[in-house]
Amino acid sequence: MQRLPAFIFTFINSSLLLTTMTTAQAQSQQPGLVYPQTRKTEVTDNYHGTTIADPYRWLEDDNSPETKAWVKEQNAVTQDYLAKIPFRDAIKNRLEVLWNYPKTGAPDHRGNYLYFYKNDGLQNQSVLYRQSTTPGATPEVFIDPNKLSADGTTALGTVQFSKDGKYAAYLIAKAGSDWQQAHIMDVATKTLLPDSLNWLKFSGLSWRGDGFYYSRYDEPTESSKLSKKNEFHKVYYHKVGTSQDKDVLIHADSDHPLRNFQATVTEDERFVLLNASEGTSGNEIWFWDMKNPDQKTFKLLIKGFDHEPNVIDNDGDKLFVITNEGAPNYKVELIDTKNPEGPRTLIIPERKETLMHVGTGGGKLFATYLQDAANRVYQLNYAGHLEREIKLPGIGTAGGFGGKKEDKEFYYTFNSYVTPALVYKYDIASGKSTTYFKPELKFDPSQYETKQVFFNSKDGTRIPMFLSYKKGIKLDGNNPVLLYGYGGFNIPVTPGFSVSNLFFMEQGGIYAQVTLRGGAEYGEEWHKAGMFEKKQNVFDDFIGAAEFLIKEKYTNTSKLAVHGRSNGGLLIGAVMTQRPDLFKVAIPTVGVLDMLRYQHFTIGWAWGVEYGTSDKEDQFKYLIKYSPLHNLKPGTSYPATMVTTGDHDDRVVPAHSFKFAATLQADNAGPNPTLIRIDTQAGHGAGKPTGKLIEESADIWAFIMYNLGMHFKN
C-alpha cells in the first residue's frame, strides 16, 4: 500500500458569432494568419469589493453550439498554420521511427502467473499480458485495451486481483475522461463477467473476500458530466456476481460534500482502511479491524487534515504509517490500533533526503528517497534496520519496489533522460539485480548526456536543474532550449525518458528540467514554499532558471521555449505574462489559467488547499496578482504561444484554455502567433493513445522549432 497521489461539434452559421476585429487583434496577425473573432459580453463579478470583467464567460459552456463552433474555427486556424510549416511532416515521421520500439513494464507476480504490460512500438494502448511461471512458458494476452474502441482512446486503468487469484477487477476510461467503469474477469478462462460498475472517479479497487471496495459519485447528467463540480464522494462494496444497485454503501458524508474517500485493505485482509481528504494536501485515516467482533464501524486512526499519513502495511494489530507529522521529509512509525492515541514506535527516522515511498515484499521494507531530485532505494527489515542500498544504474527514476509477503523476488524499472525504461529482476535475499528487459532502440544513448546544475533564485534559494543534450554542444549562447517545470502539489519532477524530448535533443536542442519549489523534491518545507501566498516563488524559480541559461551562454531569449502541463500550464501562463520579454515560445498545456473560478468545475475545489480560492478575500488578493487570464494586458507583445487542451478534459476543464487563448489573441500587439490546439476525444493526458501523442508532439515541436528559427535535421 502506498501514499495516495496527490483529469462532436454542432455547427451553426459562424457569421452570427462574429464581431468586428479589435485593433489589438489586427496588429497581432502574422502574414496570412487571421484569428476567429470571439464575441465579448458584459459579464462581471464582484470579489470582495473589486469588480473583475469576464467577457468570455460563455466559453465555459462546452456544450453550447456557439462554443463548439468557436472550437472548430480555432482548430482550423491552428491546423492551417501548422500545415504550412515545411518540416512538420518530417518531424512526425521521425517521431514515429523513434517511438517504434518494444516497451515492457515490470512484471507483477499473481498466483501462477507474471502479469506485465507490453507495447510493440506504435500500439495506441499497452497490452496486459500474462505468462505462466512454468519455465519456457509463452506469454498470452490477458487484456487488450486496443480492442475496446476503434480509435484507441479507451484506456485500461487499475487492475487488481482477488486474494485467491480467481478474479481480476479492472477500470477503463474513455476519451481521456476521469470517469471510469469497472469490470470483472474470471482469471482462469479470461471470461468477462456481467458485472459492470459505472460513475467511478478517483477510485481504487481493493479486494476483501469475494468482492471489492470502490469510490464513486452519483450519476451526473449527460450535459454536466465533464464540467459539474464533483461532490459527495461515496465508498461502496461490490460482491462478485451482483448488479451495481445491490452494492453496499460503506461510507458517505452528507456534512462534507467536498471530501473524497478511498477504502483499501491490508494484504492479510484484516484491516479496511478509509482515507479521507479535503483536497490534494492533507488527509485523515480511519480503520476497521475485521478480526475484532466488537468493532462494527470505522474508528479514527489519525486525525486530519494537517499532515499526509498513509498506511504501508500491518504487523498483527499494529499499522506501519508513513507520515510527515513532525517530520517534513517523512518518517515511518508503528501505531497500535488498540491505542491509536498512545505512543508510537519509530521505525524509519526522518533523514535530510525526502522519503517518497515505502513498499513491502518478502517481509521487507523498501524505502525510496529523493536526493537532489534523483532516486535512492534501500532495503530494511520490519524493525527498520538497514540491510542494503539497492544500487541503481545512475541518476534517474526507479519504481516498482515491492510485492507480496511470500515473494522471494520482484521486478523494478529504471529510466533517465536519455535511457528508456529498463526492467530488473531483484532477489530479496541476496540483493542482486539482474537485467530482465532492455529495449532495442532507434538511437544511440551514448551520444547524449545529462548534468545537474544549481542556481540561486530571486530570494537566494538554491535551485537544481537537469540539462540534457547531445554531446559536444557549444556554450555560445545560440542553442535552442526547451525549459520545462511543474512546481506544485507536493509532486516530484524526477529524471525520466521521453521519446519526444529525445527528438529535440537529436535536433540540437537542450532539454532543461528545473526543480521548482512547490514540489516534493526536498520535503514538505519545499512544498510549502510554493503554496498559497508563496506561489510566486515557483514563478521566480522558473524565471531564474531562464536567466541562468542565458547568463551561462546556453541560449538567448530568441532561442528559449517554455512548456508545462496542468499546474505546469499555470506556471507557463504566469511567467509569460510576468516576463513576456524573456521567452520566444510558450506552450501552456491543459493549464489552470483562471485562478478566480477554477474551484467551480469538477474536482477544482480540491486544489484550494494548494492555491487558496477567490472566495476568501486575503487569498483573492494574491491570486489576482498572478492569475494568467487576469494578467494579460492589451498592447503587449507576447511570446509565440500555442495553448493546448482536450475537449474531454474533466480535470482542468478546457474553459481555462479557451478564455486565456481568446484574451491573448485580443491583447497581443506583437508579431508572434497566438494559437490554441484543442484535441478531440482527449482529456487531461492519462491514457492518451500513441497516435494522438505523436500528433500532439509533432505539432508542438513544429511550432517551437519554426518560431525558434530551427531547421529539421535528417
Side-chain angles (χ1 to χ4, degrees):
M1 303 173 67
Q2 338 177 359
R3 187 190 321 169
L4 296 173
F7 359 68
I8 313 169
F9 301 114
T10 301
F11 304 108
I12 63 174
N13 188 339
S14 62
S15 65
L16 298 177
L17 309 179
L18 307 183
T19 58
T20 303
M21 184 185 295
T22 65
T23 301
Q25 281 180 310
Q27 291 175 341
S28 66
Q29 311 302 306
Q30 283 193 337
L33 181 59
V34 179
Y35 302 122
Q37 299 164 28
T38 308
R39 177 173 64 90
K40 287 188 175 183
T41 60
E42 298 296 326
V43 176
T44 60
D45 294 296
N46 187 303
Y47 293 96
H48 316 288
T50 301
T51 299
I52 303 292
D54 195 2
Y56 302 119
R57 177 73 59 85
W58 60 272
L59 285 169
E60 292 181 355
D61 183 0
D62 57 308
N63 288 296
S64 78
E66 187 177 9
T67 300
K68 291 178 178 181
W70 182 87
V71 167
K72 177 178 178 289
E73 292 171 344
Q74 290 284 354
N75 268 342
V77 170
T78 298
Q79 291 304 317
D80 181 67
Y81 177 91
L82 294 171
K84 293 175 181 176
I85 296 175
F87 44 77
R88 180 197 188 190
D89 289 343
I91 291 175
K92 183 180 178 183
N93 292 338
R94 181 56 183 161
L95 283 169
E96 286 179 343
V97 170
L98 291 171
W99 225 290
N100 191 13
Y101 68 91
K103 309 162 189 70
T104 294
D108 191 15
H109 188 194
R110 291 291 181 267
N112 296 321
Y113 292 95
L114 291 176
Y115 291 85
F116 60 93
Y117 287 93
K118 181 181 178 181
N119 192 306
D120 292 340
L122 294 177
Q123 288 174 289
N124 275 320
Q125 302 289 341
S126 294
V127 178
L128 180 59
Y129 286 82
R130 72 177 181 185
Q131 182 175 356
S132 170
T133 53
T134 303
T138 302
E140 63 178 359
V141 173
F142 188 63
I143 302 175
D144 184 357
N146 296 291
K147 295 182 177 179
L148 300 178
S149 60
D151 60 0
T153 58
T154 298
L156 180 62
T158 296
V159 181
Q160 293 291 339
F161 293 85
S162 58
K163 187 174 177 65
D164 60 10
K166 186 176 181 180
Y167 300 110
Y170 63 91
L171 298 176
I172 62 170
K174 298 179 180 179
S177 172
D178 280 336
W179 290 112
Q180 295 179 307
Q181 293 176 318
H183 299 279
I184 304 174
M185 180 181 287
D186 182 291
V187 170
T189 64
K190 295 192 290 184
T191 301
L192 194 63
L193 303 186
D195 308 44
S196 179
L197 313 182
N198 296 304
W199 306 116
L200 283 70
K201 195 180 241 194
F202 313 123
S203 175
L205 301 172
S206 196
W207 285 88
R208 186 178 66 83
D210 57 357
F212 55 84
Y213 298 93
Y214 69 94
S215 307
R216 61 164 291 186
Y217 291 103
D218 293 335
E219 181 177 353
T221 64
E222 183 63 26
S223 62
S224 68
K225 67 180 182 180
L226 295 179
S227 58
K228 183 182 177 181
K229 180 188 286 189
N230 299 140
E231 298 179 296
F232 301 106
H233 211 215
K234 300 178 177 71
V235 176
Y236 288 86
Y237 179 80
H238 176 77
K239 185 176 181 180
V240 174
T242 61
S243 59
Q244 189 173 17
D245 60 358
K246 299 294 193 298
D247 289 353
V248 178
L249 178 63
I250 299 299
H251 185 79
D253 189 341
S254 58
D255 294 329
H256 300 94
L258 300 184
R259 284 186 183 173
N260 277 2
F261 302 97
Q262 188 171 96
T264 56
V265 181
T266 53
E267 186 177 334
D268 61 4
E269 298 195 348
R270 173 169 178 174
F271 290 98
V272 180
L273 304 159
L274 183 71
N275 190 300
S277 62
E278 291 188 331
T280 54
S281 203
N283 58 288
E284 70 180 11
I285 300 176
W286 300 68
F287 72 95
W288 194 332
D289 185 351
M290 294 296 171
K291 285 191 176 181
N292 182 356
D294 297 327
Q295 187 174 346
K296 305 298 183 183
T297 188
F298 289 103
K299 290 183 178 179
L300 184 65
L301 180 74
I302 301 174
K303 183 176 177 58
F305 294 86
D306 295 331
H307 306 288
E308 297 188 357
N310 194 57
V311 174
I312 299 165
D313 194 10
N314 70 301
D315 183 7
D317 53 15
K318 297 180 175 61
L319 294 169
F320 290 90
V321 176
I322 180 172
T323 179
N324 59 357
E325 182 178 356
N329 291 344
Y330 291 89
K331 62 185 176 182
V332 175
E333 296 178 322
L334 193 62
I335 301 178
D336 189 346
T337 58
K338 298 187 182 305
N339 184 21
E341 296 183 358
R344 302 177 181 181
T345 302
L346 182 63
I347 302 298
I348 302 178
E350 182 185 23
R351 296 171 43 156
K352 65 177 182 178
E353 298 86 12
T354 304
L355 178 60
M356 291 306 305
H357 175 261
V358 178
T360 63
K364 305 294 182 181
L365 301 176
F366 297 90
T368 300
Y369 287 86
L370 277 181
Q371 183 172 332
D372 289 330
N375 283 156
R376 302 286 292 270
V377 184
Y378 301 89
Q379 178 178 313
L380 307 93
N381 64 21
Y382 267 45
H385 297 144
L386 176 66
E387 295 185 343
R388 64 177 61 90
E389 179 179 359
I390 300 174
K391 294 295 184 182
L392 301 177
I395 296 175
T397 301
F401 293 91
K404 298 296 184 184
K405 280 189 170 69
E406 66 271 17
D407 287 346
K408 309 224 179 285
E409 59 193 24
F410 59 75
Y411 301 81
Y412 68 89
T413 61
F414 175 86
N415 73 109
S416 69
Y417 292 113
V418 298
T419 306
L422 304 166
V423 181
Y424 293 91
K425 183 177 181 179
Y426 181 74
D427 183 83
I428 297 172
S430 67
K432 183 179 179 181
S433 294
T434 55
T435 302
Y436 179 80
F437 173 79
K438 183 177 182 179
E440 297 181 5
L441 307 173
K442 304 294 177 66
F443 70 97
D444 181 3
S446 67
Q447 294 183 16
Y448 302 88
E449 63 182 335
T450 295
K451 74 173 181 178
Q452 189 175 38
V453 298
F454 295 84
F455 64 91
N456 290 332
S457 189
K458 183 178 180 179
D459 63 357
T461 300
R462 189 170 181 257
I463 307 294
M465 178 165 54
F466 291 102
L467 305 177
S468 301
Y469 44 81
K470 205 167 188 177
K471 291 179 179 177
I473 204 160
K474 296 179 180 179
L475 299 186
D476 58 4
N478 289 309
N479 298 299
V481 169
L482 177 72
L483 178 61
Y484 180 88
Y486 186 79
F489 293 96
N490 205 26
I491 294 174
V493 180
T494 57
F497 181 73
S498 161
V499 174
S500 181
N501 293 336
L502 187 279
F503 163 79
F504 185 60
M505 291 182 245
E506 185 181 68
Q507 294 295 310
I510 298 173
Y511 175 70
Q513 184 169 292
V514 58
T515 304
L516 304 168
R517 281 177 283 185
E521 294 86 356
Y522 291 100
E524 185 59 17
E525 294 304 318
W526 188 260
H527 174 213
K528 287 181 177 178
M531 294 172 62
F532 294 123
E533 76 281 359
K534 296 180 181 178
K535 187 68 176 177
Q536 184 59 42
N537 285 335
V538 182
F539 313 140
D540 289 341
D541 293 351
F542 194 82
I543 290 168
E547 292 175 335
F548 172 86
L549 291 168
I550 294 168
K551 177 174 175 276
E552 297 299 317
K553 303 219 177 277
Y554 286 97
T555 192
N556 63 72
T557 57
S558 68
K559 294 289 186 179
L560 180 56
V562 292
H563 184 207
R565 297 182 55 87
S566 194
N567 173 73
L570 160 61
L571 165 71
I572 301 307
V575 298
M576 66 176 280
T577 53
Q578 293 181 14
R579 288 293 306 276
D581 60 305
L582 191 56
F583 317 107
K584 178 60 179 177
V585 180
I587 312 286
T589 295
V590 292
V592 186
L593 300 166
D594 182 349
M595 297 307 297
L596 302 188
R597 288 182 54 76
Y598 73 82
Q599 69 271 26
H600 298 300
F601 305 100
T602 61
I603 198 62
W605 56 264
W607 314 331
V609 296
E610 178 84 8
Y611 298 139
T613 73
S614 60
D615 302 330
K616 298 180 179 180
E617 184 174 5
D618 60 327
Q619 295 176 348
F620 163 76
K621 288 180 178 179
Y622 63 73
L623 288 170
I624 192 63
K625 291 180 180 178
Y626 72 77
S627 177
L629 176 64
H630 302 94
N631 282 278
L632 290 166
K633 296 178 176 60
T636 302
S637 179
Y638 288 103
T641 304
M642 187 164 70
V643 180
T644 67
T645 187
D647 65 347
H648 278 65
D649 190 346
D650 50 357
R651 184 81 59 84
V652 180
V653 294
H656 286 272
S657 296
F658 292 176
K659 295 200 296 183
F660 184 78
T663 307
L664 181 62
Q665 288 176 352
D667 288 354
N668 183 33
N672 294 320
T674 54
L675 306 174
I676 180 169
R677 183 188 187 276
I678 304 143
D679 208 349
T680 57
Q681 292 294 100
H684 199 60
K688 183 174 285 190
T690 297
K692 282 186 173 290
L693 289 172
I694 291 174
E695 289 174 358
E696 180 183 43
S697 294
D699 287 352
I700 288 174
W701 287 125
F703 185 84
I704 289 174
M705 290 174 62
Y706 183 69
N707 283 283
L708 292 185
M710 298 174 66
H711 300 283
F712 179 79
K713 299 176 183 178
N714 289 312

mmCIF file of all heavy atoms in Angstrom, residues 313-326:
data_model
loop_
_atom_site.group_PDB
_atom_site.id
_atom_site.type_symbol
_atom_site.label_atom_id
_atom_site.label_comp_id
_atom_site.label_asym_id
_atom_site.label_seq_id
_atom_site.Cartn_x
_atom_site.Cartn_y
_atom_site.Cartn_z
ATOM 1 N N ASP A 313 1.472 -1.063 5.748
ATOM 2 C CA ASP A 313 1.189 -2.477 5.971
ATOM 3 C C ASP A 313 0.818 -2.634 7.442
ATOM 4 O O ASP A 313 0.864 -1.665 8.213
ATOM 5 C CB ASP A 313 2.433 -3.318 5.620
ATOM 6 C CG ASP A 313 2.128 -4.806 5.508
ATOM 7 O OD1 ASP A 313 0.939 -5.172 5.502
ATOM 8 O OD2 ASP A 313 3.081 -5.604 5.429
ATOM 9 N N ASN A 314 0.458 -3.836 7.808
ATOM 10 C CA ASN A 314 0.223 -4.111 9.224
ATOM 11 C C ASN A 314 1.118 -5.251 9.690
ATOM 12 O O ASN A 314 1.562 -6.084 8.904
ATOM 13 C CB ASN A 314 -1.239 -4.456 9.483
ATOM 14 C CG ASN A 314 -1.632 -5.807 8.914
ATOM 15 O OD1 ASN A 314 -1.514 -6.032 7.708
ATOM 16 N ND2 ASN A 314 -2.104 -6.713 9.763
ATOM 17 N N ASP A 315 1.387 -5.250 10.971
ATOM 18 C CA ASP A 315 2.073 -6.350 11.635
ATOM 19 C C ASP A 315 1.172 -6.751 12.791
ATOM 20 O O ASP A 315 1.191 -6.128 13.855
ATOM 21 C CB ASP A 315 3.451 -5.900 12.125
ATOM 22 C CG ASP A 315 4.238 -7.038 12.759
ATOM 23 O OD1 ASP A 315 3.765 -8.193 12.702
ATOM 24 O OD2 ASP A 315 5.323 -6.783 13.311
ATOM 25 N N GLY A 316 0.317 -7.750 12.555
ATOM 26 C CA GLY A 316 -0.696 -8.093 13.545
ATOM 27 C C GLY A 316 -1.678 -6.949 13.694
ATOM 28 O O GLY A 316 -2.261 -6.485 12.711
ATOM 29 N N ASP A 317 -1.857 -6.480 14.917
ATOM 30 C CA ASP A 317 -2.815 -5.398 15.158
ATOM 31 C C ASP A 317 -2.162 -4.024 15.140
ATOM 32 O O ASP A 317 -2.768 -3.032 15.536
ATOM 33 C CB ASP A 317 -3.561 -5.606 16.481
ATOM 34 C CG ASP A 317 -2.630 -5.815 17.667
ATOM 35 O OD1 ASP A 317 -1.425 -5.528 17.534
ATOM 36 O OD2 ASP A 317 -3.113 -6.272 18.713
ATOM 37 N N LYS A 318 -0.941 -3.959 14.663
ATOM 38 C CA LYS A 318 -0.245 -2.676 14.548
ATOM 39 C C LYS A 318 -0.097 -2.295 13.074
ATOM 40 O O LYS A 318 0.045 -3.158 12.208
ATOM 41 C CB LYS A 318 1.128 -2.735 15.222
ATOM 42 C CG LYS A 318 1.063 -2.987 16.734
ATOM 43 C CD LYS A 318 2.448 -3.033 17.330
ATOM 44 C CE LYS A 318 2.394 -3.164 18.852
ATOM 45 N NZ LYS A 318 1.719 -4.413 19.293
ATOM 46 N N LEU A 319 -0.101 -0.983 12.804
ATOM 47 C CA LEU A 319 -0.051 -0.480 11.434
ATOM 48 C C LEU A 319 1.201 0.370 11.218
ATOM 49 O O LEU A 319 1.501 1.265 12.017
ATOM 50 C CB LEU A 319 -1.300 0.357 11.129
ATOM 51 C CG LEU A 319 -2.632 -0.404 11.104
ATOM 52 C CD1 LEU A 319 -3.804 0.570 11.069
ATOM 53 C CD2 LEU A 319 -2.701 -1.353 9.915
ATOM 54 N N PHE A 320 1.927 0.069 10.120
ATOM 55 C CA PHE A 320 3.057 0.897 9.706
ATOM 56 C C PHE A 320 2.510 2.093 8.925
ATOM 57 O O PHE A 320 1.748 1.924 7.965
ATOM 58 C CB PHE A 320 4.006 0.109 8.802
ATOM 59 C CG PHE A 320 4.776 -0.969 9.511
ATOM 60 C CD1 PHE A 320 4.273 -2.254 9.603
ATOM 61 C CD2 PHE A 320 6.014 -0.693 10.075
ATOM 62 C CE1 PHE A 320 4.986 -3.249 10.247
ATOM 63 C CE2 PHE A 320 6.739 -1.679 10.724
ATOM 64 C CZ PHE A 320 6.223 -2.971 10.817
ATOM 65 N N VAL A 321 2.925 3.292 9.308
ATOM 66 C CA VAL A 321 2.412 4.515 8.693
ATOM 67 C C VAL A 321 3.571 5.413 8.293
ATOM 68 O O VAL A 321 4.470 5.680 9.101
ATOM 69 C CB VAL A 321 1.478 5.282 9.660
ATOM 70 C CG1 VAL A 321 1.031 6.598 9.042
ATOM 71 C CG2 VAL A 321 0.269 4.425 10.018
ATOM 72 N N ILE A 322 3.563 5.862 7.030
ATOM 73 C CA ILE A 322 4.497 6.903 6.595
ATOM 74 C C ILE A 322 3.789 8.238 6.790
ATOM 75 O O ILE A 322 2.607 8.390 6.447
ATOM 76 C CB ILE A 322 4.928 6.701 5.127
ATOM 77 C CG1 ILE A 322 5.915 7.799 4.697
ATOM 78 C CG2 ILE A 322 3.747 6.635 4.186
ATOM 79 C CD1 ILE A 322 6.530 7.558 3.322
ATOM 80 N N THR A 323 4.486 9.199 7.386
ATOM 81 C CA THR A 323 3.843 10.474 7.705
ATOM 82 C C THR A 323 4.867 11.605 7.721
ATOM 83 O O THR A 323 6.056 11.383 7.956
ATOM 84 C CB THR A 323 3.143 10.402 9.078
ATOM 85 O OG1 THR A 323 2.537 11.665 9.378
ATOM 86 C CG2 THR A 323 4.125 10.043 10.180
ATOM 87 N N ASN A 324 4.369 12.811 7.470
ATOM 88 C CA ASN A 324 5.222 13.995 7.613
ATOM 89 C C ASN A 324 4.844 14.798 8.853
ATOM 90 O O ASN A 324 5.232 15.956 8.987
ATOM 91 C CB ASN A 324 5.158 14.876 6.364
ATOM 92 C CG ASN A 324 3.748 15.363 6.066
ATOM 93 O OD1 ASN A 324 2.785 15.008 6.743
ATOM 94 N ND2 ASN A 324 3.615 16.184 5.038
ATOM 95 N N GLU A 325 4.118 14.190 9.771
ATOM 96 C CA GLU A 325 3.790 14.851 11.034
ATOM 97 C C GLU A 325 5.052 14.957 11.892
ATOM 98 O O GLU A 325 5.632 13.957 12.309
ATOM 99 C CB GLU A 325 2.716 14.064 11.789
ATOM 100 C CG GLU A 325 2.285 14.729 13.088
ATOM 101 C CD GLU A 325 1.190 13.963 13.811
ATOM 102 O OE1 GLU A 325 0.710 12.947 13.260
ATOM 103 O OE2 GLU A 325 0.809 14.374 14.923
ATOM 104 N N GLY A 326 5.494 16.181 12.114
ATOM 105 C CA GLY A 326 6.725 16.387 12.868
ATOM 106 C C GLY A 326 7.968 15.985 12.109
ATOM 107 O O GLY A 326 9.051 15.923 12.694
#
